[in-house]
Amino acid sequence: MTAALVFLAAIGAILSYRVLEEWTPRNWLPAACRAVGWGSIALLLTNAGCPVVPEFSRPIVLLDASLSMQAAGGRWTEALALARSSGEVRFVGVPAGDTTPTGGRSLLAAAIIGALGSSRPIVVITDGEIDDADALPVDRLGNISVKVLERAAVPDVALTRVEGTTRLTVSDSLRFDIEALTRGGAAGNPLRIEVREGDRVWLRGVLPMDSGGRGRVVLKGVLPSVSPGVHVLSVAIIGARDAEPRTDARLQVVTVVPTPGIVLLASPPTWESRFLLQALNEVAALPVRGYLELERGRWRRAGSLIPVSAVELGDAARRADLLITLGAPGELARRPRARAVWSWPALPPQPGAGADWYLSVPSPTPLSAAFAGLAVDSFPPGTSISELIPGPQDWIGLTAQAGRRGAVRPVLIGRDSAGVRRVTMGVEGLWRWTFRGGSSEQGYRGLVSATLSWLLGGADSVAGKARLLRPVVQQGRPAVFEWSGGGAPSPVAIELSGTAGTRQDTLIFDGAGRSQLAVPPGSWRYRLSGGGQGTIAVEEYSDELLPTRRSLESRQGTTTAELAQVPVRGWLWLFGIAVVAFAGEWLARRRRGLR
């Protein structure tokens, strides 16, 4: 109807010249201008609506910007071009303003849930390897279009796991547990492995691969002559020829200290000290050293029974992070400088010491989780107990009853005083838990592990107000700091220096007392305002670089964009056309001498 009115208006304008004016060939120009003007006026009078796709109905394109999209065989360039031609692009997994794939994990659930609230069509472009597929709103995925650009299979050799002792004394030996994986027909059987710091090789070895493309090796060796301090080591495959070199090397931060982190003094040595030392070596991440006083005034190193000097013994006890004493080690335990102390004092026994003392776990305490699901009262009983009197600020971790009857007595208490955490044991015979095996052995290891975690979890004046939870992080993953200062967490300024220059940032802690900091690959030395420093090693390796099972498939969504009706009176340029057309007609008529 609107088109007909415009056509009639244009025909009427031309006929007005043919009928009312003396027609000449020169009338075509003013007649055409009048036709355009009348046609524009007809459009404005009818105010017809024009169907268009409104801006708010443009699809939201969620582009997976994880590292896997730009890994070997990935199709990032194709995905980026497809996203830009499909709608409004939003990069998922990268900092605001970044347009390159730097995400260490493929997490799309939160972005999809947020986009669903906009009532706009949603398009997801990904390689299908999603880490949080279980969190996707399955019931609403029918309205979402998914375009999967699967990455091609390429030959690759990757070090999937590297573990080793991260804190050593100058007399300790190195040990690294290494696992590797080959994909896509990559050769490499066996693989040559080197552990080096810069140009200096610490260890060499060969990693055999099985027919399934998997391999594992344990490299051991003597610690080379290096200075105490922090050393960033690279564990790398030598001569690997594959499509993804970023998976061929891993980093390890090793701290060489002059004395062990955990020192045990037993005077005299007992079954308790023997089994406790064994459990410490199994569960502790710090170097453990035991010293035994077999004769009064003569100490020997546990295991080798090599005699030690008073200087070495005093230095170890003085510099230890955690000092553990059993019996009566004398002056060494009276004024410890360690930030944590675990003592098993030899005190006069209580009356009825010959009874069987069955233990139980009060709740809640820092040790409660270690005994979850375990029937502690059915474990072998303690042989004797000593008097322990808890203070008003102390917590009780274990209690005992003689023959499961009578008064309940505390036999393990803990306190945190003046920045030093202490645990005192008042029961003997717990070594029989691990001697029996089974759940009681598990309970003994849990007791040792939980006690160590609490003792070493206190404030560390060397670490400052925050401590780094893991010194080595993968590319795209944040470095996590945990608040260790007193009081409520507050922002802490941090300065990082490395080969790429110096950076400054601020640690903002959440309700759980943790802060995440994005750091590019490399070795970085950090300093915190108010004290505290350390090393962060960010690998070029990431689990995202390894192909995984696809959890999303391509599909077409059911939602289509609805067309909106826009009135022509909203087009200002149409008014302009009418004005120009009538002005052109007037000018043409004036040139002919007409009014």
Side-chain angles (χ1 to χ4, degrees), residues 177-448:
D177 192 348
I178 304 171
E179 291 183 3
L181 179 67
T182 60
R183 291 178 180 271
N189 187 18
L191 303 176
R192 293 190 298 121
I193 306 294
E194 279 189 358
V195 180
R196 62 168 59 237
E197 181 185 24
D199 296 331
R200 183 175 187 178
V201 178
W202 286 34
L203 282 177
R204 284 191 177 96
V206 175
L207 194 157
M209 306 296 292
D210 60 22
S211 58
R214 298 180 179 273
R216 179 177 180 270
V217 70
V218 177
L219 296 185
K220 298 180 181 179
V222 178
L223 180 69
S225 178
V226 294
S227 59
V230 177
H231 301 267
V232 179
L233 305 181
S234 173
V235 182
I237 302 172
I238 304 302
R241 297 180 179 178
D242 57 3
E244 186 52 83
R246 290 176 290 181
T247 62
D248 298 343
R250 306 295 299 272
L251 298 181
Q252 287 285 294
V253 175
V254 174
T255 303
V256 179
V257 294
T259 56
I262 300 176
V263 174
L264 182 146
L265 305 177
S267 176
T270 60
W271 285 104
E272 201 75 69
S273 62
R274 176 179 178 179
F275 282 92
L276 177 59
L277 187 59
Q278 178 181 342
L280 290 170
N281 281 302
E282 293 174 351
V283 304
L286 298 177
V288 180
R289 183 67 52 78
Y291 297 95
L292 312 176
E293 190 179 28
L294 300 178
E295 305 174 43
R296 179 55 59 183
R298 295 184 179 181
W299 291 83
R300 296 177 180 270
R301 187 176 296 174
S304 63
L305 296 182
I306 298 175
V308 296
S309 65
V311 175
E312 177 185 343
L313 186 65
D315 195 44
R318 183 171 57 255
R319 297 190 181 187
D321 292 309
L322 170 60
L323 179 62
I324 304 176
T325 62
L326 291 91
E331 293 292 334
L332 293 171
R334 291 184 181 176
R335 293 183 179 179
R337 300 182 183 179
R339 62 187 177 99
V341 178
W342 189 0
S343 60
W344 303 58
L347 298 177
Q350 286 277 57
D356 289 336
W357 295 92
Y358 290 90
L359 279 71
S360 59
V361 182
S363 182
T365 71
L367 309 185
S368 300
F371 300 102
L374 300 179
V376 178
D377 59 350
S378 67
F379 292 174
T383 55
S384 62
I385 67 169
S386 299
E387 177 71 21
L388 293 183
I389 303 176
Q393 302 299 322
D394 298 348
W395 53 266
I396 301 173
L398 288 175
T399 59
Q401 284 181 294
R404 297 193 178 93
R405 297 183 300 273
V408 177
R409 293 179 170 85
V411 292
L412 185 155
I413 60 174
R415 66 172 61 93
D416 189 347
S417 177
V420 178
R421 292 190 171 186
R422 299 175 181 269
V423 169
T424 304
M425 298 291 294
V427 61
E428 295 181 357
L430 293 188
W431 60 270
R432 299 194 298 174
W433 288 12
T434 188
F435 190 77
R436 174 182 287 185
S439 61
S440 62
E441 181 182 14
Q442 179 183 347
Y444 187 83
R445 290 168 58 89
L447 169 65
V448 175

Side-chain angles (χ1 to χ4, degrees), residues 556-577:
Q556 182 63 41
T558 58
T559 300
T560 57
E562 296 182 357
L563 298 179
Q565 297 293 326
V566 178
V568 296
R569 289 180 186 174
W571 298 345
L572 296 180
W573 55 268
L574 188 58
F575 290 90
I577 289 178

Side-chain angles (χ1 to χ4, degrees), residues 508-564:
I508 306 297
F509 297 90
D510 57 19
R514 293 192 173 185
S515 175
Q516 297 185 354
L517 181 67
V519 185
S523 178
W524 300 87
R525 186 73 179 172
Y526 71 86
R527 293 180 180 274
L528 303 177
S529 63
Q533 59 184 350
T535 299
I536 305 174
V538 183
E539 302 175 300
E540 289 194 348
Y541 171 91
S542 173
D543 290 338
E544 280 283 321
L545 302 176
L546 303 179
T548 59
R549 181 182 62 86
R550 281 185 295 134
S551 52
L552 279 182
E553 300 292 341
S554 295
R555 63 180 314 279
Q556 182 63 41
T558 58
T559 300
T560 57
E562 296 182 357
L563 298 179

